[in-house]
Amino acid sequence: MVIRSGGALLPLAFRAAKLVCRGQFQRIRLAFFSTDIVGEKPILVRDFIRSALYDPNHGYFSKRSGPVGVLDRSIRFNQLEGRSAYMRHLNNLYKQHDIAWFTPVELFKPWYAYGIAEAIMRTANLSIPLKIFEIGGGSGTCAKCILDYMMLNAPAKVYNNMTYISIEISPSLAERQLETVGEVQSHLSRYKVECHDATDRSGWGPVDPQPCWVIMLEVLDNLPHDLVYSPNQVSPWMEVWLEQGQDSLQISEVYKPLQDPLVMQCVKIIGMDNGGQSRLISASRDILSKVFPKPRRAWMPTGCLKLLEVLHWALPKMSLIASDFSYLPDVSIPGDRAPLVSSKRHGCTVDHNNYLDAKGDADIFFPTDFWLLERIDHHCSGWLNEQTESKSFKPVKKRRTITLDTAAFMEEFGLPTKTRTKDGYNPLLDDFRNTKFYISVPTHNIT
């Protein structure tokens, strides 16, 4: 198994020391120094994370010249003896390129993207022009490999009439993607990059009513999250805000009643509003909270909620395929769905015990709760609300969804023999057990 630490993909056998969650008051003074991220006015945690990662002046992805690596050539797995040889080869690649990480689509090119292309081919209605959007296209490797696959394997009319659009927030990565895809001249007439924030409705223009595919690879883990807090098991959840001290550079966590629409929607979707609890359970928790009071913290995927709201609005007949981390082991930052915060110093990965350590020089990435992702997807499509309000016994679903382990996905749609070493070890199948694929397609019941 592997996880990404500071972006790097590493064996799943490290980290300990969990940080105990403390704090009984409405304001907690934290011994972390402010940067330009927190100014005079308090901000939500999601705004802190967005700035720490994406601010054009001091954001992690903006400051680093090349956090995502690009391999000069594909790895020839069938020439490697086994796991030890693969790990040595991977270590040498990191040293040679001096970058933060290689994405799976890069490590296993072209086979990783070929599996995604085959999944689209089997599911898409090929009687109409194929249209693909990719959110956060990285170096452009996924786009190029999918276009390669369509050119080589799809009926000629599919490749000739298809459109591939990358939605990229970074101007430098947008240029990189055009260079990568442009290695095959014929791809350029079918490919373009739109440089804007995918969560901003104004960047999408008018609603596109045509069927299309949306690809998101390692996007969900870097989306901003909010944080909610409760001093015990029964007290209401409160929003966490951050403010800078008047007479110091320290940052405080400030707890306020729930009022932000995105946070409140997440609380409702997850079922954290306690509306459905029985009196017996409620009374038991009340007694337990008085005898053993335990502070609670939970990270809310408000960035995911905002993105899916915009995607379902802009592309109401989209099919979605997303891949990301299903869990991150031994996370020391407290709270449900808590992130890892990692930076690289002198070539070594350093993990931080507090999210406020991220000042533009650290990656912040979250696990994806795929059950929750499905609920958010159904909520944003309108079906979850209809199901709740409908009086019929069995409302008709608007979307069909499935979650697969990466190994299961690649065994179904990919060519796993291409990433197997001489002794049978297969890093794509064996080392990515904490990653999953989520596929969501509309049914014929939508208007």
Side-chain angles (χ1 to χ4, degrees), residues 75-87 89 108 415-431:
I75 299 175
R76 297 180 178 180
F77 295 93
N78 59 2
Q79 295 184 3
L80 299 174
E81 289 295 334
R83 179 178 175 82
S84 297
Y86 168 72
M87 295 306 295
H89 182 72
F108 303 104
L415 295 168
T417 57
K418 299 294 186 179
T419 54
R420 185 183 300 156
T421 61
K422 291 181 178 180
D423 68 356
Y425 162 70
N426 193 323
L428 179 55
L429 304 184
D430 300 336
D431 283 359

Side-chain angles (χ1 to χ4, degrees), residues 91-104:
N91 186 53
N92 290 333
L93 288 174
Y94 276 109
K95 289 180 179 178
Q96 292 171 13
H97 291 78
D98 190 27
I99 46 82
W101 75 88
F102 290 108
T103 61

Side-chain angles (χ1 to χ4, degrees), residues 35-305:
T35 66
D36 294 335
I37 297 177
V38 181
E40 297 179 357
K41 296 182 179 180
I43 63 172
L44 283 163
V45 171
R46 70 168 178 261
D47 296 320
F48 174 87
I49 293 173
R50 181 185 298 109
S51 185
L53 290 177
Y54 301 110
D55 185 273
N57 296 318
H58 57 246
Y60 173 75
F61 290 109
S62 302
K63 289 172 64 176
R64 300 184 66 87
S65 59
V68 181
V70 178
L71 294 178
D72 300 328
R73 62 181 64 87
S74 300
I75 299 175
R76 297 180 178 180
F77 295 93
N78 59 2
Q79 295 184 3
L80 299 174
E81 289 295 334
R83 179 178 175 82
S84 297
Y86 168 72
M87 295 306 295
R88 288 195 300 270
H89 182 72
L90 190 60
N91 186 53
N92 290 333
L93 288 174
Y94 276 109
K95 289 180 179 178
Q96 292 171 13
H97 291 78
D98 190 27
I99 46 82
W101 75 88
F102 290 108
T103 61
V105 77
E106 191 70 36
L107 281 177
F108 303 104
K109 69 179 180 184
W111 316 116
Y112 193 90
Y114 278 12
I116 295 170
E118 176 62 19
I120 293 174
M121 282 279 292
R122 291 194 203 173
T123 312
N125 179 1
L126 299 181
S127 65
I128 60 176
L130 178 62
K131 193 171 190 178
I132 300 174
F133 292 87
E134 184 179 2
I135 310 299
S139 62
T141 295
C142 181
K144 179 185 179 297
C145 291
I146 287 180
L147 285 164
D148 287 346
Y149 188 87
M150 297 302 179
M151 181 178 65
L152 297 171
N153 298 282
K157 68 173 184 177
V158 174
Y159 177 72
N160 292 336
N161 297 321
M162 73 178 292
T163 305
Y164 197 115
I165 302 170
S166 174
I167 308 299
E168 179 55 60
I169 195 172
S170 167
S172 61
L173 283 177
E175 292 181 10
R176 184 75 167 275
Q177 291 163 22
L178 282 169
E179 292 175 1
T180 300
V181 174
E183 293 174 7
V184 178
Q185 186 65 33
S186 63
H187 290 348
L188 289 177
S189 62
R190 297 155 178 81
Y191 179 80
K192 67 176 180 177
V193 182
E194 295 181 359
C195 200
H196 64 86
D197 184 350
T199 65
D200 185 355
R201 289 195 180 199
S202 64
W204 285 92
V207 172
D208 186 344
Q210 298 302 314
C212 64
W213 275 87
V214 174
I215 299 172
M216 297 193 300
L217 306 180
E218 292 81 50
V219 169
L220 299 173
D221 62 331
N222 280 133
L223 288 179
H225 282 55
D226 273 289
L227 182 59
V228 294
Y229 168 84
S230 175
N232 54 54
Q233 295 93 317
V234 295
S235 294
W237 289 100
M238 294 178 285
E239 299 172 357
V240 178
W241 290 65
L242 302 175
E243 70 173 10
Q244 182 176 322
Q246 295 181 352
D247 302 322
S248 71
L249 295 177
Q250 292 180 342
I251 299 173
S252 298
E253 275 191 352
V254 181
Y255 306 128
K256 300 181 181 182
L258 296 181
Q259 55 186 329
D260 178 77
L262 280 176
V263 175
M264 293 176 69
Q265 277 190 70
C266 266
V267 167
K268 182 178 180 180
I269 292 170
I270 298 172
M272 294 169 56
D273 49 3
N274 299 322
Q277 283 192 346
S278 68
R279 291 184 179 181
L280 179 61
I281 295 176
S282 181
S284 300
R285 289 187 62 184
D286 187 51
I287 295 172
L288 187 64
S289 68
K290 293 177 181 178
V291 179
F292 302 107
K294 182 181 179 181
R296 298 180 294 164
R297 297 166 81 89
W299 292 85
M300 315 299 289
T302 47
C304 174
L305 173 59

